[in-house]
Amino acid sequence: MSQEVLDLIVKKVDGFLGEEVVGKKPEPPPEPEPEEEPKAEEAEADDPKAKARAARAKKAAAAKKAEEPKPPARLNFGKPLIELPSEKWSVELAELLRDDPELQFDFLSCITGVDYEEHMEVVYNFYSTVKKHYLYLKVITPREKPSVVSVDSVWKAADYMEREIYDLLGVDFPGHWNLKRILLDDGWEGHPLRKDYITDKKALGLD
Amino acid sequence: MSIKTETMTLNMGPQHPSTHGVFRLLVEVDGETITKAEPIMGYLHRGSEKLAENFIYTQFIPYTDRLDYMNAMTNNYVYCAAVEKLLDWEIPERAEYLRVITMELNRIASHLVWWGTYLLDIGALSPFLYAFRDRDHILDLLNEISGARMTFNYHRIGGVKWDAPEGWVDKVKEKVKVLRENINEYDTLVTGNEIFQARTIGVGKLTKEQILNWGISGPLARASGLKIDIRKEEPYSIYDRFDFDIPTQEEGDVYARYKVRIAEMYESLKIIEQACEQIPEGDIIHKKGARIMMIKPPAGEAYTRAEASKGEIGVYAISNGKNKPYRVKLRRPSFVNVAILQDILIGQSIQDLVAIFGSLDIVLGEVDA
């Protein structure tokens, strides 16, 4: 059932945007350099070192596989997930998610800001109390000037959630009615949840 | 002839008895009518999400106790469940039962604290004493199994820390009977009281639309006719095995919230009774969870949610395959619910402020994280 919901969301979102954004297939990764096959384990089955080496090689291959780019629309633990660049995310698209009779994402559960060092992400978790389905929506924004349009006018729940992300991660939410720090002091410098934030241990009395 | 009046700004808090914590509310009043309300928070901010990134997975569990310290079991649970989802671990049956029993006992304790302190806020002293007596009996039971009265640190990634001591389940069964009688007594003592009703009926109404718009969950949502409860919507742990109802009210006022919480305590008792009957013998923790401290979930991310006594508590956990979480986002129901003050107070009279504020049942440890 979740796959159907995902297909429906992709159809609606791409239909709204007028181009293939979330439905796009990822480009295949460049062919990896042919690697030396680890020597057949059978010959040295008794040698524990060879066994460990083989296990490591297997692990590395699995890790490589995990690094393959994921499609922007996929199932994450059985729930639909889509990715969007921040310039495609808009109040109108948010309204579509909320008001479309087949989608009806009327409940905004949670907004999470994540600093991935090369970019930033704002993840929305939606739930429909009518249709009983879910959506992870990831909005990707550059790290130098992170900015994601505010959906405070669509779901009021975003009011505090966006302020918290602004406060702790420094993501700008243009269109927010009252964007200012919420948990930290007004005069606080920096955004603690950024990965390059340096904790001043002295000021905190830890040193 | 109309008289020109000026609005006045009132500062409530940060040290106000009715907030049961450090919280400031700026209200603008025109005569006796509230025209604007601005919550100011963060006095208890401890940077929980930042701390999580600096600890190994197991070390963060005690910090979840300190969010909503009235309902720490569910906080423990939802964090562990989020990591378990990434790990894809199967949890032993007995552990799941112990989790449900402790979570539901804790929910009753939390609702009793609300019941007692709320009535205290609006001027009834004695219910507080009754509520805390029963709540203490529950805390004694939880203390026996976890070793702490409020900050339990009981659930573990993969199960629970301790098995129930001998005779504990029977003690719980006995206590359920006593609690049912006592809650019934409290119900008859207060619910029909004329003064209480005069202060709560029709006060601080919330419509279904407001609830959805502001992302409100838990008893507040159910008091406005929205039948959502994560235990039923998306049964986690083993909640799909129990027979219980979701109490709702249509009115959406303070009185409706009161009635929903009272009814919920009876439902929790029902769940505990069934769980105590069904609980099997067996392991209490996943064999890997018991053995290794250094848990390394495979890279991935997931949002996990559970029904706490205040509403939807969620954890968005991101792993990059290392021994520390890359990011832990805590969706705290009190933090989301408190935003409604900006809307719910408008047009209400100033003497109802505390009656409305108290009915939201927020805990500042959770608001400020």
Side-chain angles (χ1 to χ4, degrees), chain B residues 161-310:
Chain B
K161 178 67 183 163
W162 314 102
D163 202 349
E166 218 181 306
W168 188 80
V169 174
D170 294 324
K171 270 192 209 166
V172 173
K173 279 186 204 164
E174 282 304 304
K175 190 65 208 168
V176 166
K177 285 182 202 145
V178 179
L179 277 171
R180 186 169 284 133
E181 264 173 44
N182 287 358
I183 293 168
N184 192 32
E185 190 187 329
Y186 305 158
D187 198 1
T188 49
L189 189 70
V190 177
T191 314
N193 182 299
E194 212 178 312
I195 302 166
F196 172 68
Q197 290 191 351
R199 291 230 46 196
T200 54
I201 293 179
V203 174
K205 278 197 176 190
L206 280 177
T207 63
K208 237 185 213 175
E209 289 70 36
Q210 275 172 303
I211 295 282
L212 285 172
N213 196 14
W214 288 85
I216 309 288
S217 49
L220 298 180
R222 294 190 283 275
S224 292
L226 205 68
K227 202 167 181 166
I228 49 169
D229 186 315
I230 301 161
R231 291 175 294 175
K232 287 272 191 202
E233 302 276 303
E234 194 193 355
Y236 53 93
S237 192
I238 46 166
Y239 275 105
D240 48 353
R241 297 187 194 173
F242 307 115
D243 172 34
F244 65 101
D245 296 322
I246 308 173
T248 53
Q249 292 284 326
E250 290 300 320
E251 301 82 11
D253 56 5
V254 175
Y255 188 60
R257 282 168 219 146
Y258 169 93
K259 280 183 40 182
V260 163
R261 289 196 180 100
I262 292 275
E264 262 179 31
M265 288 198 270
Y266 289 116
E267 298 304 320
S268 291
L269 289 173
K270 260 165 71 182
I271 298 173
I272 297 169
E273 255 177 352
Q274 294 169 53
C276 284
E277 287 305 323
Q278 295 172 16
I279 187 167
E281 292 296 324
D283 288 341
I284 50 153
I285 190 162
H286 186 280
K287 57 185 187 309
K288 278 188 191 161
R291 211 174 58 235
I292 46 169
M293 269 289 276
M294 208 58 98
I295 291 165
K296 286 186 187 175
E301 53 195 281
Y303 180 65
T304 312
R305 52 192 207 139
E307 186 72 31
S309 62
K310 318 278 186 291

Side-chain angles (χ1 to χ4, degrees), chain A residues 49-106:
Chain A
K49 268 188 189 167
K51 252 189 187 167
R53 207 162 34 215
R56 263 204 303 279
K58 216 172 176 183
K59 223 174 181 180
K64 201 152 251 170
K65 208 174 173 192
E67 272 168 34
E68 270 177 35
K70 293 172 187 156
R74 56 183 185 266
L75 289 179
N76 186 40
F77 291 92
K79 289 178 187 168
L81 180 151
I82 59 170
E83 280 176 13
L84 270 181
S86 54
E87 62 270 18
K88 302 282 181 201
W89 178 234
S90 61
V91 171
E92 291 75 23
L93 181 53
E95 279 169 352
L96 174 92
L97 292 179
R98 186 193 61 184
D99 299 334
D100 187 281
E102 284 177 278
L103 299 178
Q104 295 201 43
F105 286 109
D106 51 3

